Amino acid sequence: QVQLVESGGGLVQPGGSLRLSCAASGSIFSIYAMGWYRQAPGEQRELVAAITSGGSTNYADSVKGRFTISRDNAKNTVYLQMNSLKPEDTAVYYCNADISLSKGWVPFDYWGQGTQVTVSS
């Protein structure tokens, strides 16, 4: 069984920073792309940032220049450094990873439980 466990959410004032972490554990053979999504109340879940196993990154236009995604392959962990936070960044943030459980197996899509980020004065 594979688990993705997020940490680092919380309440922060506008202009502040937070760093989210997501660690994958379990019977993992290989992790491909990892990413962060978010979902605000009444809104659809949207991609925030993604990173390949080789380190190529992709960001939503709304967070470019403010958020940075990174990963530590040795620790099976992905991070999201969020700077210059705005009230509109308030959402539940979900970690996502494409994980193969054995050599030659097609990777499956796994999700964390979500962590709340609230930007408010």
Side-chain angles (χ1 to χ4, degrees), residues 94-111:
Y94 296 91
C95 174
N96 172 264
D98 294 331
I99 298 174
S100 176
L101 304 184
S102 185
K103 185 177 181 179
W105 287 24
V106 174
F108 287 95
D109 207 25
Y110 290 89
W111 292 89

Side-chain angles (χ1 to χ4, degrees), residues 52-99:
T52 67
S53 56
S56 296
T57 58
N58 181 43
Y59 295 93
D61 287 344
S62 60
V63 306
K64 282 180 180 177
R66 300 188 298 122
F67 291 10
T68 302
I69 190 170
S70 61
R71 64 190 283 174
D72 184 333
N73 291 330
K75 296 181 178 180
N76 291 340
T77 300
V78 63
Y79 306 96
L80 186 68
Q81 177 66 43
M82 305 185 293
N83 298 328
S84 303
L85 282 160
K86 305 175 181 180
E88 50 264 43
D89 294 318
T90 296
V92 178
Y93 283 69
Y94 296 91
C95 174
N96 172 264
D98 294 331
I99 298 174

